Amino acid sequence: MLDERIAAFLAERLRPALYPLRIPLDVSAWHLPGEPVPAQVALRADHEPFAVGDTWGRPGSTSWFTVRATVPERWAGRRVEAVFDLGGDTVTRPQALVRDEYGAPLRGLHAPHPDPVLVAERARGGEAVHLLVEAGVTDAPCDPPPLRLRQADLAVRDDNVWRLLHDIRTLHRIHRSLPRDAPRAIRIRDALERALDAVDPRAVARTARGGHAVLAPELGGADGALPAAYPLVAESPPVPLGSLPLHEAVRAVARDLSTLADLAEEYPGLVCVAPDVQHYAWMKQHEPQLFERLRKMIADGTWVPVGAMWAQSATELAGGEALVRQFTHGRRFLRAEFGTDSDGVWLTDVRGVSPALPQIARAAGAHWMLVSRTDRPARHQSFRWEGIDGSAVLVHVPGRATDPHGDEGSPVSPLRTLHHPDRAALEEAARLADPHGPPRHGPRPLTRAWHPTHPAAPGPDAEPAVRGPLDLAPHTGEFTSQARTKRGNRTCEALLHEAELWSAGAAVRNGTPYPYDALERIWISVLTQQSHGILAGAAAARARQDAEDVHHDLGRRLTRLIHRALGARGDAVVHNPAPFARREVVLLEREAVLLERADGPGTDQDGVGPAGLPAVAQVLADGRCAVLAEAPAHGTGGVGIALDGTAPVTARRTQDGRHILDNGRLRVTVDGDGLVRSLVDLATGRDAIAPGWAGNLLELHRDEPVTDPARTLALGSERTRRDLTRAEGIELVAAGPLVATVRISRGNGRSVFTQDLTLTAGSPSLVVDTEVDWRERDTALKQTWPLDGPAGHSRCGIPFGHTSHPPADGAERPLQRWIHVGAAHWGVGFASDTPHGHDIVRRDRDDGGTSTVVRHTLLRAPRGPDPYADRGAHRFRHTVRPGATAGDAVEDGYLLALPLRPGTAAPAADPLVSTDHPDAVVESVKLADDRSGDVVVRLYEARGNAVRAALTVDFAVAAVCTTDLSEENAEPAPHAGSRIPLNLRPFEIRTLRITRAQPDEEPPGA
């Protein structure tokens, strides 16, 4: 009975009495179809009269409303607000940004029940009100009806009614959270009954103060001011860039940040944060008045920049150097624009965090991490999270600010966050945060949001509570959804690596100006597209298409930068951007020059061309020419070299329709349906494929998640699995001596699958190229490889290292570049050219043996948010290497991600940088961000072992320093001329800053 009485009292008595005085606003409108325009354009536009009840709003359009009024003289001393109801419902949700008469943002109007706009806390009477409202519809069905403006009034708020309204709501919520017979529940129930009786329905405004006095003892005398006992933080809601196109995301950020700024000014003591640095950059570019308002609040301590990452990245899918740049670009912006920095990481609404993040965050200067989720339980937790190199960060998962106390009001979290706050949430939070403490007026600083010295934080010597990835919510679908976006991101990361490497070499050797500005702009664009709303595969159609267009444009720009440093594409040499030396077959587009160097197409004898270089060339059916090439790590080498002891690859077809490929290192048997029946490592004679089973099997699984389809992988049972075991066509398209390829075609009535199984001369790996014309719904495509024997371990590559997992546990995990599965002395390595999910399962065989099945999840077809995201053509490249070590798998991952680049320049004498140990892997080479001309080399230990190595540079060295990831906090490092000794811990990331000696000075240690 009490619940029904309170609901009726609030709806029929208090809310109607909240605004006792009101006058209509004078409204005029300008309706703009298509993309939005700046406020200055809207201010100069011709607005037509518009009345309450008129219709407005179509998806993709903007309506600009100009509202005017004059505050009546009799309202002097009262709180005056502009009250709007733009229409809409829970399906069609209008959003609006209220601006002042000059176009500066004031606050957002968030559907479905926007807060009124404060006109005057204590009106003088006679003030002119002139507001500009920018309104649009972002969430709507395909063809929604137009909206109707329901209300646009200037009104006086009765503060006594307002306080009583939130007193009752807060105590009622606490009462419902307690056991009915709890002592405090009984007290609250009695107080609520007496408060309702104290208010006269015929004179609510006059008697509301009496109801407040009845409830005050249970609220500790709180009057709406935020208490000082614990920090209360209003966090800008995560703007899902993937759910909105870029221009709408910018508008959403402006609405959210201006709303927080307005609330912070109205509620002294509230602290506001915005974890994404890119949001500040957007405001600086598009809303400079709001940006200056935020800058002042930061200086006053009301707003705290946190997070330090440029965008809240999908850390499990972004590359290692990209994660580094998230921190360097984010911190650089905070220091340059606000004169401040952040020593922590703040992540909002992410579902999983890569185990590589602790060591990257620590190397970037962060010591703590806060992860807030709107769907997490309200109770907080704090723990130490240890990265793969042993470094740890303190992680805090805060409770929600509206978490009620227990019976006697035991405190909850030392930090509570509010997502998408409004006045009602702040009123309730103020009453719930510390009901027995004194109210606190005036602003207060936020002491590092959550500081490691807080008593609730685990000590630095405490045992780590978490190792490995942070799994905060189901998200295994993220690893595969929207494969084109993931491929575009991986391509841009690889091209950025090349552009920096070759541009640094051209600057050091030839004095070519280094493209600092161009690379910085491209990096920022890539980092923005790595937002977890996009890279995780949950983007809406427009945002997904925008991301693909951005990746395509950045690819062209990066290719131009590479050609600027190396010269145009050619066929005289190959440039190797990978950190490992390589000798492999490459395919060149132009065959004429190569045919001059060889005896003829398809020859299996060494020939000598006119340049005097021995060469073997094989012309393929598509007109390309295959030659053998060799290049050092990060260096340039020759093409058309002699086999020189490397056995040629052969291919033959048996009478039973099988194809056997053999290059002296690997023998592959492909049956008449294109399945790999045998994959033998000839050095040991061991077959990787389980007896009686077949590799390269494509499986179609039902994938029908109930909620959040893009992020949730929900495979059906084995009964619903469909195996594509029948080939519609199989042919031998290349038979050696350099390339042997078997092409298989399949179909299932909707989608078409074409695969090339390729073995090249001297290669220890089978290359599998899979082309798919994907036309499925609610289906996942897996490529499976059954390995002989139970796996003793599985390792999965992550940025700057790898993680180990229980063998064959069946868990879906992201595959960044490589995985290694095997026992103590023998294993199989898999590498991929694009991220996707994978799992490893164990299955018993009829012969009593056990098979370990590696399954790559290549494609999905969820129904939302973009059901057409992955329709169309896709291409995947994998390598399978039997007899591989974990180090071999690391190498294969880099070689596949960073292919040889044919060029016309003459080979350089030596690579710009090189290491003498395979476990010391150079991740990036660039010039210093401060434009000093220093060379920055970032490397790491890749195998999980302590190593002693040396880095050699091909230029005169004046000084060497070890720095953090931001290339700061330099500490001198020893060097002997151009040789720099290194002692690396397992998985340690090392950033070296190398100052070049001037031509006329003797380098120290020479």
Side-chain angles (χ1 to χ4, degrees):
M1 292 296 294
L2 179 62
D3 293 347
E4 290 81 358
R5 185 183 180 192
I6 288 176
F9 183 79
L10 295 180
E12 299 172 10
R13 296 288 185 263
L14 287 190
R15 289 195 177 96
L18 187 58
Y19 293 102
L21 302 172
R22 63 181 68 201
I23 60 173
L25 289 163
D26 181 22
V27 183
S28 58
W30 178 50
H31 304 292
L32 176 68
E35 304 291 330
V37 298
Q40 299 305 317
V41 175
L43 286 171
R44 296 192 298 268
D46 294 329
H47 289 62
E48 298 179 352
F50 194 89
V52 172
D54 289 350
T55 61
W56 72 278
R58 289 288 185 183
S61 66
T62 303
S63 292
W64 293 84
F65 299 100
T66 298
V67 296
R68 300 174 185 270
T70 301
V71 178
E73 297 288 347
R74 65 182 183 277
W75 291 2
R78 307 291 296 273
R79 178 186 173 98
V80 179
E81 298 176 343
V83 183
F84 296 97
D85 187 344
L86 300 175
D89 50 32
T90 56
V91 177
T92 305
R93 302 170 63 90
Q95 303 288 343
L97 176 61
V98 181
R99 302 174 180 268
D100 65 14
E101 58 185 311
Y102 305 106
L106 295 179
R107 67 166 297 128
L109 298 178
H110 299 282
H113 303 295
D115 269 348
V117 179
L118 177 62
V119 173
E121 183 71 40
R122 299 182 67 85
R124 300 189 308 273
E127 298 100 323
V129 179
H130 182 187
L131 301 174
L132 183 67
V133 181
E134 177 187 6
V137 180
T138 56
D139 296 328
C142 295
D143 190 19
L147 303 178
R148 291 185 182 276
L149 181 65
R150 297 171 182 162
Q151 184 179 14
D153 292 332
L154 195 67
V156 170
R157 192 185 80 179
D158 190 310
D159 288 338
N160 290 326
V161 175
W162 172 262
R163 283 194 294 268
L164 179 59
L165 172 69
H166 292 288
D167 289 348
I168 294 174
R169 288 186 56 190
T170 302
L171 285 176
H172 185 221
R173 184 167 186 267
I174 296 176
H175 175 263
R176 295 183 63 184
S177 70
L178 299 174
R180 184 172 181 82
D181 57 351
R184 193 176 182 206
I186 297 173
R187 295 198 307 268
I188 292 176
R189 187 162 56 247
D190 178 68
L192 288 172
E193 293 279 7
R194 289 187 290 110
L196 300 186
D197 293 338
V199 178
D200 186 348
R202 294 163 297 182
V204 174
R206 180 170 55 81
T207 57
R209 187 186 297 271
H212 173 73
V214 171
L215 298 178
E218 288 300 324
L219 289 168
D223 60 356
L226 300 182
Y230 304 109
L232 180 62
V233 177
E235 178 183 355
S236 67
V239 175
L241 184 56
S243 300
L244 303 170
L246 179 60
H247 67 273
E248 289 295 345
V250 172
R251 294 209 291 182
V253 170
R255 291 193 296 266
D256 295 334
L257 298 191
S258 60
T259 299
L260 286 187
D262 188 66
L263 291 174
E265 293 172 356
E266 185 175 350
Y267 288 84
L270 179 66
V271 177
C272 301
V273 299
D276 291 75
V277 177
Q278 70 171 359
H279 292 176
Y280 297 116
W282 286 347
M283 295 304 97
K284 181 181 179 183
Q285 178 182 359
H286 299 284
E287 301 289 353
Q289 301 99 327
L290 176 57
F291 183 75
E292 292 303 321
R293 185 181 179 187
L294 298 178
R295 192 200 299 270
K296 182 179 183 300
M297 294 178 68
I298 290 172
D300 294 339
T302 310
W303 196 289
V304 179
V306 297
M309 295 181 73
W310 181 263
Q312 297 198 39
S313 171
T315 59
E316 294 176 297
L317 299 169
E321 191 63 23
L323 292 177
V324 169
R325 304 305 175 91
Q326 291 282 1
F327 283 97
T328 57
H329 284 282
R331 294 183 64 191
R332 187 178 303 128
F333 186 93
L334 294 181
R335 290 197 299 263
E337 298 297 336
F338 304 133
T340 186
D341 206 342
S342 176
D343 64 350
V345 184
W346 191 302
L347 299 176
T348 302
D349 265 4
V350 294
R351 288 163 169 76
V353 188
S354 169
L357 200 62
Q359 60 171 334
I360 296 174
R362 286 297 299 268
H367 302 285
W368 56 267
M369 186 170 75
L370 187 142
V371 182
S372 60
R373 287 194 54 77
T374 56
D375 58 354
R376 292 281 294 179
R379 294 298 179 184
H380 74 285
Q381 59 181 128
S382 301
F383 54 87
R384 293 181 73 241
W385 183 26
E386 185 176 289
I388 58 175
D389 70 331
S391 59
V393 294
L394 301 176
V395 179
H396 184 59
V397 182
R400 291 193 289 271
T402 54
D403 177 35
H405 291 281
D407 184 46
E408 295 303 325
S410 59
V412 289
S413 169
L415 172 69
R416 278 123 326 133
T417 60
L418 279 172
H419 297 272
H420 228 314
D422 56 13
R423 292 192 182 100
L426 287 174
E427 292 287 341
E428 188 173 3
R431 288 161 172 80
L432 287 171
D434 187 20
H436 299 294
R440 166 74 175 263
H441 298 273
R444 71 184 190 286
L446 176 64
T447 58
R448 293 294 186 187
W450 171 69
H451 200 273
T453 59
H454 194 280
D461 298 327
E463 286 296 320
V466 174
R467 292 185 177 92
L470 288 185
D471 291 323
L472 304 174
H475 65 289
T476 52
E478 294 182 353
F479 306 150
T480 303
S481 297
Q482 299 189 0
R484 287 193 191 89
T485 303
K486 293 174 171 58
R487 174 171 292 280
N489 175 74
R490 172 60 59 84
T491 300
C492 288
E493 288 182 348
L495 291 175
L496 274 164
H497 169 87
E498 283 200 70
E500 291 185 332
L501 171 67
W502 304 130
S503 296
V508 171
R509 290 196 170 103
N510 307 323
T512 305
Y514 189 78
Y516 292 101
D517 294 331
L519 288 172
E520 182 175 4
R521 288 192 296 269
I522 293 173
W523 263 118
I524 286 176
S525 295
V526 171
L527 299 180
T528 299
Q529 300 306 319
Q530 288 182 347
S531 166
H532 60 76
I534 295 178
L535 190 54
R542 171 67 183 274
R544 187 263 308 164
Q545 186 61 56
D546 287 349
E548 293 177 11
D549 293 343
V550 167
H551 288 150
H552 181 69
D553 177 63
L554 296 181
R556 291 185 301 172
R557 291 160 60 185
L558 286 167
T559 301
R560 287 197 296 267
L561 290 179
I562 293 170
H563 289 165
R564 175 177 176 267
L566 293 178
R569 181 183 176 90
D571 51 24
V573 297
V574 287
H575 305 287
N576 178 16
F580 297 95
R582 59 210 298 180
R583 177 185 173 90
E584 64 186 49
V585 175
V586 296
L587 303 182
L588 302 178
E589 298 295 335
R590 285 187 276 177
E591 59 177 310
V593 175
L594 293 169
L595 292 178
E596 291 177 0
R597 298 184 183 178
D599 292 339
T603 180
D604 58 357
Q605 301 294 325
D606 291 351
V608 179
L613 295 175
V616 173
Q618 178 185 347
V619 178
L620 303 181
D622 59 3
R624 291 181 298 173
C625 195
V627 296
L628 193 62
E630 187 174 30
H634 291 149
T636 302
V639 299
I641 63 176
L643 289 175
D644 193 21
T646 300
V649 63
T650 61
R652 60 186 177 89
R653 179 169 178 165
T654 64
Q655 292 183 350
D656 60 356
R658 298 191 174 198
H659 292 85
I660 299 177
L661 314 180
D662 193 324
N663 67 354
R665 300 186 65 177
L666 193 62
R667 185 171 63 244
V668 185
T669 301
V670 184
D671 69 9
D673 285 313
L675 302 178
V676 177
R677 292 294 177 175
S678 177
L679 190 63
V680 180
D681 172 25
L682 295 177
T684 61
R686 181 166 178 175
D687 193 346
I689 302 299
W693 292 41
N696 191 41
L697 173 65
L698 297 180
E699 300 176 346
L700 296 175
H701 295 257
R702 284 189 185 176
D703 179 19
E704 299 174 317
V706 177
T707 58
D708 203 358
R711 292 187 169 94
T712 306
L713 182 68
L715 299 184
S717 66
E718 291 297 309
R719 296 189 302 272
T720 62
R721 188 187 79 199
R722 291 174 291 162
D723 296 343
L724 302 180
T725 56
R726 188 178 66 85
E728 296 178 352
I730 181 169
E731 61 176 326
L732 184 66
V733 297
L738 296 179
V739 178
T741 300
V742 177
R743 179 165 296 164
I744 307 106
S745 300
R746 309 181 193 276
N748 71 331
R750 290 181 298 274
S751 301
V752 178
F753 309 86
T754 303
Q755 290 186 295
D756 285 352
L757 305 182
T758 301
L759 189 63
T760 60
S763 173
S765 303
L766 174 68
V767 178
V768 182
D769 289 304
T770 304
E771 292 187 9
V772 183
D773 186 7
W774 189 240
R775 304 291 172 181
E776 305 300 317
R777 276 287 176 268
D778 298 322
T779 303
L781 173 66
K782 282 184 175 284
Q783 181 192 67
T784 68
W785 294 89
L787 307 180
D788 187 18
H793 67 260
S794 64
R795 296 186 177 95
C796 184
I798 63 172
F800 301 111
H802 67 260
T803 56
S804 297
H805 304 285
D809 61 358
E812 186 85 3
R813 293 187 175 91
L815 188 156
Q816 277 248 0
R817 282 181 175 166
W818 61 269
I819 53 178
H820 182 265
V821 181
H825 303 293
W826 199 83
V828 180
F830 297 86
S832 173
D833 67 342
T834 187
H836 55 72
H838 79 281
D839 64 30
I840 303 174
V841 297
R842 186 172 290 172
R843 292 174 178 167
D844 296 330
R845 303 198 300 261
D846 294 338
D847 62 0
T850 301
S851 299
T852 300
V853 184
V854 178
R855 309 193 303 178
H856 303 284
T857 310
L858 302 185
L859 286 168
R860 299 183 64 227
R863 293 185 177 271
D866 181 5
Y868 302 99
D870 281 321
R871 286 287 187 98
H874 296 268
R875 183 180 178 89
F876 303 91
R877 171 166 285 189
H878 295 84
T879 63
V880 187
R881 183 172 180 173
T885 65
D888 295 332
V890 173
E891 180 177 346
D892 289 348
Y894 274 100
L895 299 187
L896 200 58
L898 301 168
L900 289 171
R901 178 176 293 275
T904 58
D910 293 297
L912 189 66
V913 301
S914 61
T915 64
D916 62 358
H917 198 292
D919 293 350
V921 178
V922 175
E923 178 71 12
S924 65
V925 181
K926 57 189 285 292
L927 295 193
D929 290 339
D930 61 4
R931 310 195 180 195
S932 62
D934 292 351
V935 177
V936 173
V937 180
R938 189 156 17 252
L939 47 80
Y940 71 103
E941 196 286 317
R943 289 278 300 275
N945 304 311
V947 300
R948 290 186 177 182
L951 178 75
T952 302
V953 299
D954 190 36
F955 52 86
V957 177
V960 179
C961 293
T962 300
T963 72
D964 59 16
L965 296 184
S966 299
E967 303 166 19
E968 299 172 346
N969 300 318
E971 297 181 0
H975 68 100
S978 297
R979 186 176 185 275
I980 305 168
L982 300 169
N983 291 322
L984 298 176
R985 303 187 309 273
F987 299 127
E988 179 185 358
I989 304 172
R990 183 76 60 86
T991 303
L992 298 174
R993 180 172 182 144
I994 307 170
T995 302
R996 291 180 283 160
Q998 298 300 321
D1000 57 347
E1001 70 176 273
E1002 184 75 11

